[in-house]
Amino acid sequence: MKKVTYLLPILFLLTGCWDQTMLNQTKLITAGGFDYTKDDKVIGTAAVPQAVAVEAGQSKVADLIFSSTGFTARQTRLRLDRKVTERLEASKNQVVVFGEKAAKKDIYHLLDVFYRDPKSALNAKLAVSKGRAADVISTKFEETKTSTGVGEYLRDSIISAEESATVPKENIQTICPLMFDPGQDFALPYLEPMGDKIKTVKVGGVALFNGHKMVGTIKEPLSVVYTMMTGESSTVFMSTTKKISNKKNQNVLNYATIKVQKNKRHFSVKVSPTGEISAQIKLKTKVVVTEYPPDKLSSPTEIEKLEKALSKRLSKDAQEVINRLQKMNSDPYGVGRKMIAFHYPTWKKLDWAKEYPKTKFTASIDVNIVDSGIIE
Amino acid sequence: MTFFKKPKKLKQIIASVQKEDKTETYNEVGESQIEQKQTIEDIVAQIKEPFASTEDLITQWIELPSDDSRVALLYIESIIDRKLIQDQILNPLFELSNEIGMDSLRKMGKLDLTKHTDMTMAQSLLLQSHTLVFTEDTACFYSVSTPVDTKRDITEPDNETILRGAHDGFIENLSINLALIRKRLKTPKLKVKYYRVGKETHTTIAVVYVDNIANPDYVNEVENRIKSIEADGIYAPGNLEESIEDRPFSFFPQMVSTERPDRVAANLMEGRIALVYDTSPTAHIMPVNFFTFYQSVDDYNNRWIIGSFFRLIRLFSFFIAIGLPAVYIATVSFHFEVIPFGLILLIKSSLEDIPYPPLFEAMLMELTIELIREASIRLPTRIGSTIAIVGGLVIGDAVVKAGLVSNLMIIIVAVTAIAAYIVPSNEMSAAVRILRFPFMIAAATMGFVGIVFGFMILLFHLCRLYTFGAPYFAPIAPLSLKDLKDSIIRAPFWVMNRRPQDLDAQKRSLDNQVRKWEKKS
């Protein structure tokens, strides 16, 4: 007992490290951006909200944007820290934006710092911005004037795009294994800042990657077809508007809007005895017609006609997506992964990066209308 | 005072007051016999000697008209009822004593007198509101119980109010208290044993249990502990509680104290033992487990689903009351990454200008709450409301406006305070309130790890704690799934057909043959 009375205070007082980090003595980063200067230095930009307590219980958040340069991402962060009072913390980071040029170089070099810090926010969204990331983060967007800061604004914009299936759902954690997978790539949201007077950001589509590098974009609305083919069975509002005829004199009558209820993907990769590789994605889609200006959807023949037109149109789009992916040499659907899994000897002999664009890759979408809205 | 060293005789003494033939048996054991040839004056003087300068000891000399013999009445004026003396002694005496002697009167039942031959009894009888009657026959004396009626009304105890159910409560009178229990348990198996403790205070304690249910081991244990007490005074039930509880250094109360006879009766039927006190409305129930403190009479009067819900709320409140300030401190000073993004800026902005660490902030507010609580207990109700305004509004609001404490802290402290008072038992509530301070310190030094350590130590302690040989953390450790039905939840009446295992009752099964009727469809 006597020993314990001596040991207890020693245990508490003499252990050197104390990992206390006080919330009110830190500065939180809510959005981070990376660019490169012309001489290959990293420019790090961070949005740090300053909570200004206006009155008891009511506070206003004002974003302060800091940026600094350094040779690596970590160095820029350390230099940023020196520019602000208190300690910078990235544990509540909401979004990491790469400038298009930086993304085309290599994103892993910049992301490395996130994977090594146990406190970093792995669920932060990633995005590639048209132009410089610093510009996106430092823009005074219209919505940030009234609601919360830029980090939340960008994150919510991306989440809303994910819900409408414009972009696939990805974050820092989910892309990590894909970055190192030789058989599969990924795509990130592509942000386009818009407007002169009323400034907004638009999620304009997806930025495709090959390994660590960005290789191109697929813009909305084609990016919805891209997302459908990733195997995502449905999102909150997986929707797209397609032109299905040219015959009507009023342009608006040529279009139909569908909302996907459920996708079922059939994805196969085959190697013929002669060594020819062919991949095929077949998508069976149950859709709800949410808009069809010509109407008359009560008749089964009309529905069948529309189904056929949509299938034809969507299949064409799907093939277009595939062709573009092959041209960019980006493999987000994981044809290579299937090769590794099922045809390893063949795959081992190949230089996949060269072989993939030449692969016979086809896609088709079969539309089945299950509902046509509340009008009978 | 020899009988204090031989407590077994106590029972006989008490019995002798009520049953006259026992007096004779006691006589043989008695040590100092009254010497013959003493006059009545000698005897009275001898009895009065220990009370030397007490002025409320009255001696009243009466000359009997019949044979000129004298009778002396001795009583302590302050604790007797003169009307009773008149009715029970003087009137019959004057009416009849000229014809026959005192002894024959007594035997005829005209006089409600008890005959004693042991003079050592005289003193204790006097102190128990008896009036002593001395006659010329100096070999013996008579006593009659003439207690003054100072009972207050039977009211509902203020600190244990319930919504539905009986609204009577114990008072400061042992026989009334026992009557309230007997009224509920009309069985010959309900045993009452009197003990008198305190060399000077002679506090009467009744050990109450149901004979064929309560485990005799526990009964013996309780009785042995009470017998072993040698103290000048046992003034309050708290003194006795501390004298016989197992672990006086534990934060946790080891017996339930209650002022509700229905609660006592229900626990007796489960196989527990109750101590009922004279001069105190509090009764103690033992052996108990942790969950006994979370049971309320209301649970059983509510529908069982609702009762179970309240029971769960109470157990949940235990964790809030102990852990919430600690979790808050740990979160804002160690692990704020667990706070959702939508909240973090809100919390951060309310914390931003607080000049001291969260631990200090929490301590300050917790102590303030305790101050307000302590003040409002002592004050009369009219001033009490002033305290509520000063404490609640002024401190709560002004402290935030002055920037001394964050908004969030006020909320945390308020929720914690409410959670602590949800416990139906006042002692457990106090234990919980004390416990949160070590948890707060642990959280401020080691964050969540500290809280985990705290709960581990708490669990060790609870598992090791035994009361009168029964495990304290009972249905959980040792685990008895069947007993969880009346500890975590309140199962319906017809399901409760076994008594709790930890009490090791003689009769484990409960006859609950209810709902046997045919349902008419």
Side-chain angles (χ1 to χ4, degrees), chain A residues 12 18-30 49 51-53 55-59 61 86 89 91-94 119 148-149 151-152 155, chain B residues 329 331-342 344-358 400-401 407 442 444-447:
Chain A
F12 283 104
W18 198 26
D19 55 344
Q20 196 182 39
T21 44
M22 303 277 265
L23 179 59
N24 55 357
Q25 285 165 23
T26 43
K27 286 270 149 65
L28 300 170
I29 297 175
T30 56
V52 194
E55 204 190 299
Q58 294 178 334
S59 60
V61 176
E86 301 176 345
E89 262 273 344
S91 62
K92 291 316 279 186
N93 192 12
Q94 297 301 300
K119 275 196 164 188
T148 29
E152 207 181 353
R155 182 203 62 186
Chain B
I329 292 171
T331 313
V332 297
S333 52
F334 286 91
H335 324 276
F336 53 79
E337 56 278 7
V338 304
I339 306 172
F341 182 76
I344 194 156
L345 290 176
L346 219 77
I347 294 174
K348 191 167 155 57
S349 69
S350 98
L351 271 179
E352 205 65 76
D353 299 321
I354 307 303
Y356 30 68
V400 172
K401 279 205 172 135
N407 266 325
T445 43
M446 287 178 285

Side-chain angles (χ1 to χ4, degrees), chain B residues 73-266:
Chain B
L73 297 187
L74 243 75
Y75 51 83
I76 297 172
E77 188 187 29
S78 46
I79 53 172
I80 57 98
D81 190 350
R82 273 174 186 280
K83 196 167 169 288
L84 281 174
I85 295 181
Q86 190 69 40
D87 289 350
Q88 297 200 5
I89 305 172
L90 297 178
N91 288 348
L93 214 58
F94 282 115
E95 274 172 33
L96 296 163
S97 62
N98 36 6
E99 287 149 38
I100 39 175
M102 178 97 64
D103 223 24
S104 355
L105 264 177
R106 185 172 66 87
K107 288 212 170 110
M108 283 164 64
K110 297 277 181 194
L111 276 175
D112 186 20
L113 293 181
T114 316
K115 189 177 177 181
H116 301 271
T117 46
D118 181 10
M119 281 300 160
T120 50
M121 295 274 302
Q123 189 181 340
S124 63
L125 286 171
L126 269 179
L127 290 167
Q128 287 168 43
S129 309
H130 284 252
T131 301
L132 306 186
V133 184
F134 293 88
T135 57
E136 298 283 2
D137 176 14
T138 52
C140 63
F141 66 93
Y142 305 89
S143 73
V144 61
S145 176
T146 50
V148 67
D149 188 15
T150 51
K151 296 188 280 279
R152 70 173 163 102
D153 291 342
I154 296 173
T155 51
E156 174 158 40
D158 285 336
N159 47 3
E160 276 178 275
T161 47
I162 56 162
L163 285 176
R164 292 169 66 188
H167 291 291
D168 52 354
F170 289 134
I171 60 166
E172 290 82 355
N173 183 300
L174 181 59
S175 55
I176 299 284
N177 290 353
L178 289 173
L180 288 173
I181 299 174
R182 275 222 184 262
K183 239 166 68 182
R184 289 176 166 79
L185 303 178
K186 288 180 184 124
T187 162
K189 279 153 192 157
L190 182 75
K191 302 294 177 200
V192 178
K193 286 187 183 169
Y194 290 107
Y195 288 92
R196 208 155 298 159
V197 292
K199 283 178 193 146
E200 305 297 337
T201 55
H202 295 233
T203 316
T204 313
I205 297 163
V207 178
V208 188
Y209 59 94
V210 182
D211 202 20
N212 64 337
I213 298 174
N215 188 322
D217 290 347
Y218 296 148
V219 177
N220 287 340
E221 185 64 37
V222 172
E223 285 178 344
N224 285 337
R225 287 188 195 181
I226 294 174
K227 280 178 203 163
S228 73
I229 295 172
E230 275 188 61
D232 274 354
I234 295 288
Y235 312 101
N239 296 140
L240 191 94
E241 188 179 351
E242 271 181 29
S243 318
I244 63 172
E245 71 185 355
D246 286 65
R247 296 267 199 98
F249 285 101
S250 172
F251 283 130
F252 290 99
Q254 286 148 55
M255 40 190 100
V256 169
S257 61
T258 177
E259 294 185 22
R260 305 198 61 87
D262 44 0
R263 200 170 183 192
V264 171

Side-chain angles (χ1 to χ4, degrees), chain A residues 111-347:
Chain A
L111 278 176
D112 181 72
V113 47
F114 291 94
Y115 293 121
R116 289 184 199 284
D117 180 2
K119 275 196 164 188
S120 72
L122 289 177
N123 58 353
K125 297 288 173 199
L126 288 166
V128 176
S129 75
K130 193 179 178 184
R132 276 159 35 98
D135 295 338
V136 173
I137 288 173
S138 54
T139 309
K140 277 255 173 261
F141 292 109
E142 192 64 21
E143 281 188 63
T144 59
K145 284 177 191 166
T146 47
S147 64
T148 29
V150 64
E152 207 181 353
Y153 170 67
L154 291 177
R155 182 203 62 186
D156 287 348
S157 304
I158 293 169
I159 286 176
S160 129
E162 281 171 359
E163 283 174 354
S164 67
T166 311
V167 295
K169 287 175 186 162
E170 301 284 6
N171 59 33
I172 295 185
Q173 178 64 53
T174 56
I175 67 154
C176 180
L178 301 179
M179 258 195 298
F180 297 102
D181 191 341
Q184 195 168 2
D185 296 316
F186 57 92
L188 295 179
Y190 186 71
L191 300 179
E192 292 172 45
M194 322 218 2
D196 288 326
K197 266 197 172 169
I198 294 174
K199 287 177 177 151
T200 56
V201 74
K202 179 186 157 200
V203 182
V206 288
L208 277 312
F209 280 74
N210 175 17
H212 302 167
K213 292 184 182 71
M214 176 182 159
V215 284
T217 57
I218 292 179
K219 293 285 173 64
E220 185 265 337
L222 208 54
S223 68
V224 177
V225 179
Y226 164 83
T227 313
M228 279 164 74
M229 283 198 293
T230 56
E232 183 82 56
S233 76
S234 73
T235 58
V236 179
F237 201 72
M238 189 185 263
S239 239
T240 185
T241 305
K242 290 291 170 203
K243 190 171 190 179
I244 45 163
S245 80
N246 291 317
K247 294 165 195 162
K248 308 276 165 50
N249 42 9
Q250 262 188 321
N251 197 29
V252 72
L253 294 177
N254 290 329
Y255 289 85
T257 307
I258 53 163
K259 176 179 170 292
V260 174
Q261 199 103 356
K262 200 166 180 176
N263 271 328
K264 206 173 168 193
R265 186 174 77 155
H266 180 78
F267 182 22
S268 65
V269 176
K270 281 177 191 150
V271 181
S272 73
T274 52
E276 251 175 60
I277 302 161
S278 62
Q280 191 181 33
I281 291 181
K282 270 187 188 167
L283 211 59
K284 279 189 175 165
T285 306
K286 287 177 181 165
V287 302
V288 178
V289 180
T290 51
E291 190 186 37
Y292 187 59
D295 198 18
K296 294 184 188 97
L297 272 184
S298 48
S299 79
T301 46
E302 183 72 19
I303 287 185
E304 210 170 299
K305 236 171 80 189
L306 182 61
E307 269 176 359
K308 267 188 189 160
L310 279 170
S311 295
K312 197 179 153 199
R313 176 63 213 256
L314 282 170
S315 296
K316 202 182 131 213
D317 284 350
Q319 195 58 50
E320 166 76 17
V321 168
I322 299 285
N323 291 345
R324 282 211 212 169
L325 288 175
Q326 279 184 309
K327 211 188 248 175
M328 291 176 217
N329 198 6
S330 173
D331 181 16
Y333 299 135
V335 180
R337 181 107 293 277
K338 288 244 174 194
M339 287 293 294
I340 297 170
F342 301 113
H343 310 284
Y344 187 68
T346 323
W347 186 81

Side-chain angles (χ1 to χ4, degrees), chain B residues 62 75 227 309 324 342 349 458 510:
Chain B
I62 297 159
Y75 51 83
K227 280 178 203 163
F309 172 67
L324 189 63
S349 69
L458 189 70
L510 259 167

